């Protein structure tokens, strides 16, 4: 796969502040499209996918949910990922965000098809990835050169 996107990976541990960092960038008007994974509760029992362009959100994952589509402690709705794919299918330029790439994508699900498409476009792509998945993420998607933003609570560091 030929990667054409300019990639910035926002990385850190669980609950380090990756999404909060991306929300700050969203508030500054940086993103033209993409999705943030947000929660209304501190325990993150329900996760919603927020379309940064329209402000629409849909329930993505629920901790107490039942069903065949599960990852870790969550049951998820694959139709929400399809909605996200449709929303991003026409992107040809701009700054795009995908929050968060993790175990589901590394096994070929979730944002994986969307990410594979976006990597082949001439865009600036921000993705958030937990530190524990960073090496596997870079290997799976063949990402060599990129910029890293390391989040550790209140500290933000830059790297490559």
């Amino acid at each position: 796969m030929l990667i054409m996107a300019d990639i910035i990976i926002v990385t850190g541990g669980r609950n380090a502040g990756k999404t909060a960092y991306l929300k700050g960038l969203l508030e500054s008007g940086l993103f033209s499209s993409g999705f943030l994974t947000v929660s209304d509760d501190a325990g993150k029992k329900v996760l919603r996918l927020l379309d940064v362009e329209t402000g629409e959100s849909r329930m993505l994952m629920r901790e107490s949910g039942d069903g065949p589509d599960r990852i870790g402690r969550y049951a998820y709705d694959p139709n929400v990922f399809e909605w996200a794919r449709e929303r991003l299918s026409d992107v040809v330029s701009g700054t795009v965000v995908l929050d968060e790439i993790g175990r589901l994508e590394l096994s070929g699900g979730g944002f994986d098809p969307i990410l594979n498409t976006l990597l082949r476009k001439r865009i600036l792509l921000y993705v958030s990835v937990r530190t524990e998945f960073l090496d596997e993420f870079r290997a799976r998607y063949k990402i060599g050169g990129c910029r890293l933003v390391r989040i550790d609570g209140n500290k933000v560091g830059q790297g490559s």
Side-chain angles (χ1 to χ4, degrees):
M1 170 174 52
L2 177 63
I3 295 179
M4 298 175 70
D6 185 16
I7 304 161
I8 298 175
I9 301 172
V10 178
T11 190
R14 185 186 308 259
N15 298 319
K18 298 178 299 295
T19 300
Y21 175 81
L22 292 169
K23 280 183 184 176
L25 296 177
L26 173 64
E27 290 167 5
S28 73
L30 178 65
F31 304 120
S32 56
S33 56
F35 292 90
L36 293 178
T37 304
V38 297
S39 180
D40 299 330
D41 64 288
K44 297 185 178 181
K45 294 181 185 297
V46 175
L47 300 175
R48 302 183 67 73
L49 202 56
L50 171 69
D51 182 331
V52 303
E53 183 179 358
T54 67
E56 180 183 357
S57 71
R58 297 191 180 181
M59 187 177 53
L60 176 63
M61 297 184 178
R62 179 179 303 221
E63 185 176 296
S64 60
D66 293 326
D69 297 306
R70 298 193 62 83
I71 189 77
R73 67 183 193 186
Y74 294 103
Y76 67 93
D77 184 349
N79 295 319
V80 176
F81 287 110
E82 179 62 24
W83 167 67
R85 188 192 63 72
E86 289 171 7
R87 291 284 303 132
L88 294 174
S89 64
D90 294 333
V91 168
V92 293
S93 63
T95 303
V96 180
V97 62
L98 283 182
D99 174 44
E100 141 170 5
I101 306 302
R103 189 177 306 130
L104 185 57
E105 288 74 20
L106 295 173
S107 64
F111 282 130
D112 179 71
I114 302 164
L115 183 56
N116 278 305
T117 299
L118 290 173
L119 288 170
R120 294 190 307 264
K121 297 187 177 197
R122 291 191 186 279
I123 59 171
L124 176 57
L125 179 62
Y126 279 77
V127 294
S128 66
V129 180
R130 268 195 246 149
T131 305
E132 66 186 278
F133 300 128
L134 185 57
D135 290 341
E136 188 177 352
F137 167 78
R138 290 178 84 165
R140 176 177 177 83
Y141 297 102
K142 298 175 179 49
I143 297 172
C146 65
R147 289 178 274 171
L148 290 178
V149 176
R150 297 182 188 277
I151 308 291
D152 183 13
N154 294 329
K155 295 182 270 180
V156 177
Q158 304 285 324
S160 50

